[in-house]
Amino acid sequence: MTNSMPSRRVSASAPAKINLVLHVGSPDVTGFHPLLTAFQAVDLWDTVTLSDSATMGIDCRADFDTSMVPLNESNISWRATELIRAHHGVEAHVSIEIDKTIPIAGGMAGGSADAAATILAATALWETEAPLHELFDITRALGSDVPFSMVGGQAIGRGRGDVLQSIEAEAPIHLVVVMSDGHLSTPEVYAELDRLRDGQVKVPDALGDDFLDAWRHGDAEALAPLLHNDLQPAALSLMPGLADTLDQVKTAGALAAMLSGSGPSVIGLARSSEHAKEIAENLRGVGRRAISTQSTPKSAHLQQDCAGQTGSQG
Ligand code: C5P
């Protein structure tokens, strides 16, 4: 049935992330693991479009299989709209369309990006004008990586990953992202890390100056030996085939290869954009799904705000 209610659409985009360094401590009393991490936003974006609708609805599109994305109230975007509605007493419903380029369940915070984009779009659609710190509380409630997905760029993360200190970068970092077949559950990777460890582990107080200098200058040669991910041995223990992927990325020419977050995507570090393209091509030649990309200084942002446009609704 068609009616003539004015229909508004708002789109927002948020970036993927990788952790160039990820130190994980032993879990605290809440069961969460304290982190010291170097978050880097990557130039792969998910876009969420919200439009006025008589009922809640959700859809997801991508050039790859999206069957793992739940199309119901358990989807993180749907939960984000519910939190915004509850927080601001909004009664209206929305239709949610998610356009994904970030690998699903790959350790690149695709779900967190969807949540961040949804919060921005919902705030604009409903003109709630929430102060930033209120939005931040909502981002935290949705997941540990969602605050970074909102601020993007580069940041040192502490706490659960939700306490952020932004870093200025003077030059980009060039990367290859390799998708793995299969999926790793983040809680299971953390639990496996605890199982593999003897005794309590504390995270370092700070990232090293060598790393910070290399990061700021986009100096890939200096960064290569300093990439670090405490979750990698746990992910390898759960998915031993990842060792072959890491070897293939190095053989394809990357300066370093490392698991992204809790995996199973793997990142390769490149010297330049041409080098990243060449590594990705080599990996595709041996049957891997690989894309070349680079770091981005951008944050989550509104893509278009068509508030006020009229149209018809089905
Ligand atoms: O916060 P988020 O929902 O992304 O976390 C997913 C799971 O990962 C948590 O339930 C927890 O098991 C684990 N986690 C953790 N320590 C962190 C972040 C996540 O143990 N700092």
Side-chain angles (χ1 to χ4, degrees), residues 88-295:
H88 295 286
V90 173
E91 286 179 8
H93 292 104
V94 277
S95 152
I96 304 167
E97 294 160 67
I98 306 173
D99 287 289
K100 290 196 86 64
T101 65
I102 305 174
I104 294 165
M108 300 189 75
S112 303
D114 297 351
T118 304
I119 290 167
L120 283 184
T123 309
L125 185 74
W126 292 322
E127 298 169 11
T128 55
E129 290 174 17
L132 202 58
H133 71 269
E134 278 184 19
L135 291 184
F136 247 77
D137 289 343
I138 292 175
T139 62
R140 280 199 181 92
L142 285 163
S144 309
D145 288 336
V146 184
F148 178 72
S149 298
M150 189 72 98
V151 297
Q154 302 72 223
I156 298 172
R158 293 188 169 82
R160 295 179 178 188
D162 56 348
V163 180
L164 300 172
Q165 176 190 347
S166 286
I167 296 285
E168 293 292 319
E170 291 163 16
I173 296 166
H174 299 279
L175 299 158
V176 176
V177 176
V178 188
M179 271 66 90
S180 299
D181 293 327
H183 149 249
L184 283 169
S185 140
T186 303
E188 283 172 23
V189 176
Y190 276 103
E192 181 67 2
L193 176 68
D194 296 339
R195 197 185 66 78
L196 292 175
R197 278 177 163 170
D198 276 336
Q200 291 289 304
V201 176
K202 279 189 71 175
V203 292
D205 291 333
L207 297 170
D209 287 340
D210 289 358
F211 171 77
L212 290 172
D213 281 349
W215 192 14
R216 285 198 180 98
H217 295 115
D219 183 344
E221 302 278 356
L223 266 180
L226 302 174
L227 298 188
H228 175 82
N229 184 351
D230 272 348
L231 294 178
Q232 186 166 304
L236 280 166
S237 165
L238 294 172
M239 201 187 258
L242 279 174
D244 290 341
T245 314
L246 290 163
D247 284 345
Q248 278 180 321
V249 175
K250 279 183 248 168
T251 305
L255 301 178
M258 186 175 68
L259 185 78
S260 174
S262 58
S265 296
V266 166
I267 50 171
L269 189 60
R271 224 173 270 118
S272 62
S273 137
E274 292 67 33
H275 187 210
K277 283 186 193 133
E278 186 189 307
I279 299 165
E281 194 58 48
N282 291 343
L283 284 162
R284 287 194 288 267
V286 292
R288 309 294 325 202
R289 282 180 297 142
I291 38 178
S292 56
T293 184
Q294 62 176 40
S295 59

